[in-house]
Amino acid sequence: MALATTAFVFPGQGSQKVGMLAAAHDAYAAVRATFEEASAALGYDMWDLVQNGEQDALNLTATTQPVLLTSSVALWRAWLEQGGEGPAVMAGHSLGEFSALVCAGALDFADAVRLVRQRGEFMQSAVPVGEGAMAAIIGLDDDAIVSICAEVVAAGSGEVAAVNFNSPGQVVIAGHTAAVDAAVAALKEAGAKRAMPLPVSAPFHTVLMKPAGEQLAGAVADIAIAAPSVPVIHNVHCQSEQDPEQIRELLVRQIYSPVQWTGCVQAMVERGVDKVVECGPGKVLSGLNRRIDKSLSSFSLEEPDSLKAARDGVAANA
């Protein structure tokens, strides 16, 4: 049985940290088994890296992506192991969309772990280090950000665009380094409260990722995709899809298209969702979701205590 008013959401890059999920690993056999399965798929001890590695190593895109996918799937399996019921709908932020599709039964876990490692490699290699940048813009209207980025491009500074619509008043821009710098200056002048460079070395979700998309298309063509058992709202168009070929196409388009997170959350609310469980390390999405719709109740699963609280919270008035 699905909980009709509950959504599960899965975080993307930025939620990783050395030492995460330690208590969950001790508490749940499902978490231990999931990390063992990922380690076997990739040929290295992922749990040792997560607990004892350097943060810089964990932050490498080709490492971060399989680690976060594994963490999210591990917590989903722990949720089910502890008697938690399935949600009515799922969504994931960027990489998290792959986690959602695994948990919805559309992607095989081992296939997905290998696929997102490749995705990370493709994304990192699409633009030489130093030539691309991203920045978070706080406190300015979405349309104004889009318009100013277009003006910077028209002025010949290079490519820059709004790429993550994370919540009203919080948008990430990305593109060529010089163009991002020019846009940051213009956005501050236009009244942005903050414009902060992000510690990433590639302009994710821009047209500069088209080469990565072409490579990913080849990799995605080689894996099986099934119709998801739970609707998954996609970043590209804020709708769910049942056709595996449509899902395959959206996973490729997503790599060079903006992440419409605000729209994804609004689409879930329109389906009657009032409780959202963040299935992965950290609480980044919970913070965004509250800014998108203050009526949403948010829960997280990273710690055993929070998993129990989430199970009790979503069961209340279900």
Side-chain angles (χ1 to χ4, degrees):
M1 178 180 141
L3 294 163
T5 62
T6 301
F8 265 56
V9 297
F10 300 84
Q13 288 186 222
S15 293
Q16 71 280 359
K17 63 181 185 293
V18 172
M20 64 187 184
L21 269 68
H25 189 270
D26 288 344
Y28 305 125
V31 173
R32 296 190 292 275
T34 303
F35 273 90
E36 288 169 7
E37 191 178 342
S39 297
L42 297 182
Y44 67 86
D45 188 338
M46 181 184 285
W47 183 247
D48 181 64
L49 171 67
V50 169
Q51 296 305 303
N52 305 310
E54 297 292 329
Q55 187 68 41
D56 285 350
L58 200 60
N59 288 346
L60 292 171
T61 299
T63 302
T64 305
Q65 297 202 22
V67 162
L68 283 175
L69 181 137
T70 300
S71 299
S72 289
V73 173
L75 290 171
W76 166 253
R77 291 174 173 177
W79 168 263
L80 297 179
E81 182 181 77
Q82 295 302 303
E85 292 187 9
V89 64
M90 295 177 172
H93 190 289
S94 189
L95 162 77
E97 192 166 291
F98 290 77
S99 305
L101 289 165
V102 171
C103 296
L107 291 175
D108 173 76
F109 174 56
D111 283 348
V113 167
R114 289 186 288 263
L115 180 64
V116 298
R117 177 171 67 177
Q118 290 180 290
R119 180 178 182 266
E121 291 168 349
F122 299 153
M123 291 170 81
Q124 190 60 67
S125 63
V127 177
V129 174
E131 292 187 15
M134 302 182 76
I137 312 301
I138 310 296
L140 200 61
D141 179 74
D142 290 3
D143 290 340
I145 295 171
V146 170
S147 176
I148 288 170
C149 286
E151 290 169 10
V152 170
V153 173
S157 298
E159 291 290 342
V160 62
V163 295
N164 291 356
F165 293 90
N166 285 334
S167 69
Q170 183 178 330
V171 172
V172 173
I173 65 170
H176 289 117
T177 303
V180 170
D181 290 345
V184 163
L187 290 162
K188 284 180 178 175
E189 193 174 320
K193 291 178 183 173
R194 297 171 75 189
M196 305 168 293
L198 296 178
V200 296
S201 55
F204 303 142
H205 299 292
T206 68
V207 293
L208 303 177
M209 288 288 116
K210 277 282 183 79
E214 291 168 6
Q215 290 175 292
L216 186 66
V220 170
D222 292 335
I223 65 167
I225 299 180
S229 59
V230 178
V232 174
I233 306 294
H234 291 271
N235 292 175
V236 171
H237 61 10
C238 306
Q239 300 172 33
S240 62
E241 298 286 352
Q242 285 296 109
D243 179 3
E245 294 311 309
Q246 286 290 332
I247 294 170
R248 204 182 300 274
E249 180 188 332
L250 286 166
L251 290 178
V252 173
R253 284 175 56 194
Q254 188 224 54
I255 208 169
Y256 55 80
S257 301
V259 174
Q260 303 283 354
W261 188 250
T262 298
C264 287
V265 173
Q266 290 169 338
M268 292 189 287
V269 171
E270 288 168 6
R271 290 172 179 243
V273 165
D274 60 14
K275 302 182 184 81
V276 183
V277 179
E278 184 160 2
C279 189
K283 299 179 182 178
V284 170
L285 297 182
S286 297
L288 296 179
N289 297 346
R290 279 192 293 272
R291 285 195 284 274
I292 295 167
D293 191 318
K294 290 181 173 57
S295 71
L296 292 171
S297 298
S298 295
F299 304 90
S300 63
L301 298 186
E302 185 174 357
E303 303 293 335
D305 286 350
S306 61
L307 189 149
K308 182 180 184 305
R311 195 182 62 208
D312 294 345
V314 300
N317 304 316

